[in-house]
Amino acid sequence: MTNIGYTPEEPIAAIATALAPGAIGIVRVSGKNSIELVSKLFSRPDALLNAKGYSLVYGWITAPEKIDEVMLGVYRAPKSFTGEDMVEIFCHGGISVVTTIHKLLLANGFRQAEKGEFTFRAYINGKTDLTKAEAVREIIDSKTDTSRSRAAGRLAGNLFDEIDSIKKKIVDTLAEIEVGIEYPEDEETIADSFDSTALLEVKDRLSDLAASWKSEKLFQDGARVVLCGKTNAGKSSLFNALLKEERAIVSDIEGTTRDWLESWVSFDGIPARLFDTAGLRKTDDVIEAKGVEITRDLSKDADLILYLIDSKAGLVKDDIDFISAQTNIPLVIVVNKCDAEESKQIELPEQLSQLKQVRISAKKSTGLDALTSTVKEILFKDKSLSREQAGLGSARQKASVEEALERIQHAIQISQDNEYGLDAVVQDLEDSLDSLGEVTGEITPEDVLGSIFSNFCVGK
């Protein structure tokens, strides 16, 4: 939806569940006269027309023959998700059933909803703000329980409440300044016109919000974690152990993994794309050599490398050469097969002594908790982990908060050096309010709205 150009209240319909066989399918509609339009396709029209909001009505969808036995969820304006009259049709989850009902609606007064249009209508009808609307998409896209939980905090309003609280402090400061402008003889300097303590608190809170995007982005996008090491170091065994399923082939034969595998995994709530790669060694096998080349390419784009060493074989020159070359990417040395009788202690050379080392047995799944803790610590270096703290949910929000922070910092500066009048401070504070209004959607250009809601799925 790159252009918000459709008619508000126009009846819309969309399939709200995955188009795949299932026990239940949902087709939802919203807009003016939507209840009346559905009643014309329903076996018990009077029951639907007289139904109260937040009620269920049993019957059949007919056209005029019976199509499916359904339950209709009825929601009346303004007490609905969109703020409009809505009906959700709960039918059997067969693809044919769901699509037939959807097509029937489109042929009888409804048009196909655009991506995110239901949530957009909730926004324009004052049922939600942009921070909550964006949180809906975050929850749908969340990859771990922690990702979902942090997005749920924004959906519950913790970010909106924080922004609103900050705005109130700025407004209170503006009110103090207005008194100074009205009665300038009572003040000797700009600083005397208001208490800058409130603005210093605002600056700190905005700084914390801006910094929160680092951790929130990691929870949303996930990290790229690449398993590297020589052949038979146990990369595939660790890959399977972290996934808790047999995804990669494990064999004592060297060079089994020639291509790379990837899957999402959670490191104590942090989502990560985990890559199992071909073992690093020189080989005349063309296919295996290509796999080694891919391993090196993947490692260059990693957020973290887990470098496996066979504790029975110990640290060799090829290991040291590869590890030493990773100067810009965090790396953890994972000493595997520590349950074996031939296991050795790994002494790192002085140039690698700063690297973290974790001892595990991928085969017996021992040491994985310590590995997970180490991965989490490295990925979250210089980032906030507080679940209670409100965090930003998008790069758009971060840009607006940083703009507000810049204006607040400038206001504090000019209020202290007295080179400018009170009007300049007022302008900065008003600009900061506008920027914060963009976060919640009080002031948002149409093209920004189009970009936000076009990333939603149809039916949401």
Side-chain angles (χ1 to χ4, degrees):
M1 190 164 49
T2 56
N3 180 30
I4 312 298
Y6 55 79
T7 305
E9 298 188 340
E10 185 179 7
I12 56 173
I15 298 171
T17 47
L19 200 57
I24 296 176
I26 301 175
V27 183
R28 65 189 334 199
V29 303
S30 181
K32 189 175 182 179
N33 298 324
S34 58
I35 296 175
E36 289 79 2
L37 290 172
V38 173
S39 71
K40 297 176 181 179
L41 308 172
F42 190 54
S43 61
R44 301 175 60 213
D46 291 340
L48 176 57
L49 291 171
N50 295 323
K52 296 181 179 180
Y54 296 106
S55 65
L56 290 172
V57 182
Y58 164 79
W60 285 76
I61 295 294
T62 60
E65 74 280 2
K66 290 182 177 180
I67 293 177
D68 192 28
E69 189 178 25
V70 299
M71 295 291 291
L72 302 184
V74 183
Y75 313 91
R76 293 190 178 274
K79 297 181 179 181
S80 70
F81 175 70
T82 62
E84 304 171 334
D85 284 348
M86 292 184 65
V87 177
E88 290 183 330
I89 303 172
F90 303 96
C91 59
H92 292 96
I95 295 176
S96 176
V97 174
V98 173
T99 55
T100 297
I101 292 174
H102 181 231
K103 290 177 181 177
L104 186 62
L105 292 169
L106 298 184
N108 287 273
F110 292 92
R111 72 157 171 81
Q112 171 63 44
E114 298 185 50
K115 290 182 177 180
E117 188 169 350
F118 289 91
T119 308
F120 178 81
R121 291 191 176 198
Y123 163 69
I124 62 174
N125 288 325
K127 306 298 291 185
T128 189
D129 70 281
L130 280 191
T131 64
K132 296 176 185 177
E134 288 177 296
V136 171
R137 179 184 54 78
E138 288 181 56
I139 288 177
I140 293 172
D141 294 340
S142 60
K143 301 173 180 67
T144 67
D145 288 343
T146 306
S147 301
R148 173 197 50 74
S149 177
R150 295 176 83 91
R154 282 184 282 279
L155 181 60
N158 65 6
L159 177 56
F160 177 87
D161 291 343
E162 176 66 3
I163 294 292
D164 193 52
S165 175
I166 291 172
K167 287 170 62 181
K168 286 179 180 177
K169 284 195 171 294
I170 297 174
V171 170
D172 289 344
T173 302
L174 277 170
E176 290 184 41
I177 294 176
E178 290 296 336
V179 173
I181 293 175
E182 187 71 22
Y183 305 102
E185 66 277 2
D186 296 337
E187 314 294 347
E188 295 182 3
T189 68
I190 293 179
D192 293 331
S193 301
F194 66 97
D195 184 2
S196 62
T197 303
L199 286 190
L200 291 172
E201 179 189 336
V202 167
K203 176 178 75 70
D204 290 341
R205 289 169 69 177
L206 288 176
S207 296
D208 289 342
L209 271 182
S212 72
W213 175 236
K214 289 183 180 179
S215 59
E216 298 299 341
K217 187 175 189 299
L218 181 59
F219 276 116
Q220 290 181 24
D221 298 344
R224 290 171 62 91
V225 178
V226 179
L227 302 178
C228 291
K230 293 180 64 62
T231 55
N232 266 20
K235 298 181 295 299
S236 294
S237 294
L238 178 57
F239 186 79
N240 290 341
L242 291 172
L243 265 61
K244 296 182 174 61
E245 62 176 282
E246 298 296 319
R247 280 285 307 278
I249 297 174
V250 176
S251 171
D252 292 333
I253 302 173
E254 292 189 350
T256 303
T257 303
R258 299 187 171 199
D259 203 347
W260 52 271
L261 296 175
E262 69 169 287
S263 184
W264 284 101
V265 66
S266 172
F267 285 100
D268 195 18
I270 300 175
R273 288 174 63 192
L274 184 66
F275 293 83
D276 179 27
T277 64
L280 296 167
R281 70 169 180 173
K282 294 181 180 179
T283 176
D284 293 329
D285 187 301
V286 176
I287 297 177
E288 186 182 354
K290 181 63 176 177
V292 173
E293 181 183 345
I294 292 174
T295 298
R296 296 185 183 278
D297 289 341
L298 287 171
S299 67
K300 293 176 183 177
D301 295 327
D303 295 304
L304 176 64
I305 295 173
L306 300 182
Y307 191 87
L308 274 74
I309 295 174
D310 184 343
S311 65
K312 296 187 295 182
L315 190 69
V316 299
K317 183 178 182 302
D318 287 345
D319 295 323
I320 296 174
D321 290 344
F322 180 87
I323 295 170
S324 299
Q326 312 310 312
T327 56
N328 298 319
I329 299 172
L331 184 145
V332 175
I333 293 177
V334 183
V335 183
N336 190 27
K337 306 181 184 179
C338 292
D339 58 313
E341 293 183 3
E342 308 95 318
S343 176
K344 305 173 184 177
Q345 289 294 325
I346 303 298
E347 296 293 334
L348 297 177
E350 184 176 354
Q351 69 268 29
L352 302 180
S353 60
Q354 80 283 1
L355 294 177
K356 291 185 178 296
Q357 185 179 147
V358 182
R359 294 177 64 84
I360 71 166
S361 169
K363 184 177 181 180
K364 294 188 176 180
S365 294
T366 58
L368 299 188
D369 288 344
L371 177 61
T372 295
S373 296
T374 301
V375 169
K376 184 175 183 178
E377 177 186 346
I378 291 175
L379 291 177
F380 258 97
K381 184 179 181 181
D382 301 326
K383 299 181 180 72
S384 170
L385 270 176
S386 173
R387 169 61 182 85
E388 292 75 20
Q389 177 188 1
L392 300 178
S394 69
R396 178 196 71 82
Q397 295 172 6
K398 176 177 180 288
S400 294
V401 166
E402 287 181 334
E403 288 176 3
L405 175 59
E406 182 179 343
R407 302 323 306 165
I408 293 296
Q409 290 172 327
H410 189 256
I412 293 172
Q413 177 186 342
I414 63 177
S415 70
Q416 293 173 344
D417 60 25
N418 288 314
E419 291 184 8
Y420 300 88
L422 284 172
D423 289 342
V425 178
V426 168
Q427 185 62 57
D428 276 333
L429 298 187
E430 289 179 344
D431 288 345
S432 70
L433 287 174
D434 287 346
S435 295
L436 293 177
E438 290 179 0
V439 177
T440 56
E442 296 169 69
I443 303 172
T444 305
E446 185 175 294
D447 58 339
V448 173
L449 294 178
S451 176
I452 291 171
F453 290 99
S454 64
N455 289 321
F456 282 59
C457 55
V458 174
K460 192 59 187 167

